[in-house]
Each structure stands twice: as C-alpha cells, then as structure tokens.
Amino acid sequence: MSEVCVIGGTRFFGKLLVRRLLAEGHRVTVVNRGRTPDPFGAAVRRLRADVDLPGELAAAVAGERFDAVVHQMCYTPRAALEACEAFGERAGKLILTSSMEVYNADTFRWRIPAPPMSPFAREEELDAAEYAYDTELPWDDRAWLGANYGEGKRQAEAALTRHARVPVVLARVAHVLAAEDDFTGRLAFHVDRVRAGRPVIAHAAPGRTSLVLADDVAGFLAGAAVSEVTGTVNVASPDSVDVYDVCTAVQHATGRPATVIEKTDPSGHPDLSPFSCPSDFGLTTDRATSLGHRFTPAARWLPELAGKVAAGEGRG
C-alpha cells in the first residue's frame, strides 16, 4: 500500500486516477482549493491549497510524507517551483501531468526557432533539463496563460526537472477523451454538428494526431505512482487518427451522414474540428511500451466512445 498525493483530482481523468488508486488499495490525499465537490467521501484525505498562490501548497502539506505526488494542476514554472519547495525530499517522486503541446512548434515563443521535432514526437526530442524558464512572464494573467498553454507546460517541466529533490516523471499526454466528465467537449463538438447537418471544417489534407482514452491516462499515472518509472513518457494510443476517422465514428454512432469540408485557411472558423491539424502532429509510444504500459488503440475505443457521447453519456 502506497501513500499517494493527487493535486487536483476532482474532474475528468483526475477522478479516474483517484478511483484507480483507491481500488488498488492505496491511501490517497487530495489537494485542491475545495471549490469542486468530489464523490470520494471518507475514502480520501483532503488538504486545501491554491497551488498558484505562493506558500499555500507548502503550508498545506507541511510535515506530510508521500510515496508519490501526482500534480494535475501545474501549468507554469512558478507552480512547479512551489511544488519543489513544498515537498522537498518528503515524496518518493513527483509526477507532472504534462501535454503533447510541449512538442508543438507553433507555440514556442521564447526559443525561436523551435527545436526540430518529428511529426510523431519522441521524448528525447525535447529535453526539459535543457529548456529555459522565466518566472517573470505574466503567468498570473489567465488569458495570457491560456494563449501560452504549451509554453507554460514546457517551462513547468523545465523548472521541475531542475529543482525537484526527488525523481521526476513527465507524462506528456495526448488529446484525452472520456465518456464521463469530459469538459473539453471535443467529441461532442462533432456529434452536435453531424446531428445538426452542419459540415465539420478541416485543414486542407489534414494531418493525423494522437488521442488517448481517459482510463488509460489514469492507469498510467497510477502505475507510475507506485512503480520505479522515472523520466519523460509519452501517453497516447499507439495508432493515430485524423478528422475523417473521428467523423466516421460519429456517423456510425448517430446514423447521420458526416460531411468534412477542407479549407486552405480555416483559422477561426467556428466549425473547425479540434482534431484537425495542418500536418501530422502526435506522439510515439515506444518508451511507454518498453516500460510495460500498453495503451488501447483508438480504433478499438473511439467508435464505442462516440456512441456513448451520442447517447448523452459524455456531457458531464
């Protein structure tokens, strides 16, 4: 039995992570602001902190020791440094839930040109230990942070890697889809348009990208928390998809024809698919496979998930 701290854990795959850890018999402490109810009752301990406010996390976890900390709410280098200071050496490892967006060459702002990346990126193509971070950037500006999400995650990785006093796991996660509590609405976007008889807009000759099932993300994070895994790991289904694959799944789920219209410059179009890429952009999963983590192919789960969303199960 391990003592695991989950920062966040009240929505989307964070809830699935907590459920997985509890089901496996681990003791779980959840740290968040306490503003969102959770379904765990007395099964978890709760500590209150806003990880974006200096000193709050350190005060909340003072004197606590954990076998692992899974940080679901780390979007900036400031938050990463707060975690390093708060836990010090009182955690077996720190796990950062990061994003495939760290590989997106279009989102680099402070290192131009971006380092070369493969269309389906490998972990070693972006070394967090060699990437610069800047705590003086306007990270407190929510609009600015939202527009620089990929950069925030890159710099959070860099700060954590440099300053953590315990081993680190950087989980670079693909586009996550779920049948429960999927606040992103990305699959519902397609269901709504197909049902309404509206076309889905895509880039000309759209590229392929990586998806992952929320249950698989939770499974990886839970496994990383209680195993010897360290370092950077891409978390994604092993097969890629494009907007046509998504629309085909939705078409079968709804029984309505799906129309995709390609545009040379679809920027800003309200019907532009969130899974349309101007070129291939995704993840390789060779390292995860070598560590024994096998993610479910999207071809296996996407049609079933589209059916659940079409039936209204994914609107949480």
Side-chain angles (χ1 to χ4, degrees), residues 59-279:
V61 302
E64 301 281 349
R65 291 185 176 274
F66 300 101
D67 296 300
V69 175
V70 184
H71 204 326
Q72 300 272 86
M73 304 298 293
C74 188
Y75 301 105
T76 73
R78 292 181 187 172
L81 293 173
E82 288 286 330
C84 294
E85 180 63 25
F87 293 101
E89 297 178 353
R90 294 178 292 102
K93 66 170 65 173
L94 293 176
I95 302 169
L96 170 62
T97 304
S98 190
S99 168
M100 68 185 290
E101 283 300 313
V102 299
Y103 297 115
N104 189 344
D106 294 337
T107 67
F108 280 75
R109 298 290 184 271
W110 289 271
R111 181 174 173 180
I112 300 174
M117 303 282 182
S118 301
F120 291 89
R122 303 183 304 276
E123 291 88 347
E124 63 268 21
E125 292 181 300
L126 181 65
D127 185 350
E130 296 182 355
Y131 197 77
Y133 68 89
D134 184 352
T135 59
E136 298 304 314
L137 292 169
W139 300 115
D140 292 331
D141 183 331
R142 292 294 176 182
W144 189 91
L145 178 59
N148 292 278
Y149 171 80
E151 184 64 24
K153 283 294 190 183
R154 280 189 290 269
Q155 294 198 23
E157 288 187 1
L160 191 70
T161 300
R162 281 181 176 80
H163 295 282
R165 285 175 268 172
V166 296
V168 168
V169 178
L170 305 177
R172 292 173 175 166
V173 180
H175 302 295
V176 185
L177 294 181
E180 177 190 351
D181 201 29
D182 188 345
F183 67 91
T184 70
R186 288 177 292 209
L187 194 50
F189 168 99
H190 298 82
V191 170
D192 292 344
R193 279 153 183 77
V194 170
R195 276 201 170 133
R198 291 167 59 183
V200 172
I201 304 302
H203 294 83
R208 303 183 69 80
T209 191
S210 293
L211 309 180
V212 66
L213 192 61
D215 285 320
D216 280 358
V217 182
F220 172 80
L221 294 172
V226 299
S227 70
E228 299 302 314
V229 171
T230 60
T232 306
V233 186
N234 290 341
V235 179
S237 289
D239 53 338
S240 61
V241 305
D242 63 17
V243 63
Y244 289 99
D245 296 323
V246 175
C247 285
T248 295
V250 170
Q251 180 172 286
H252 290 159
T254 61
R256 300 290 299 274
T259 301
V260 177
I261 296 177
E262 298 182 14
K263 291 184 175 292
T264 303
D265 183 9
S267 302
H269 197 290
D271 293 324
L272 176 62
S273 168
F275 299 130
S276 178
C277 304
S279 58

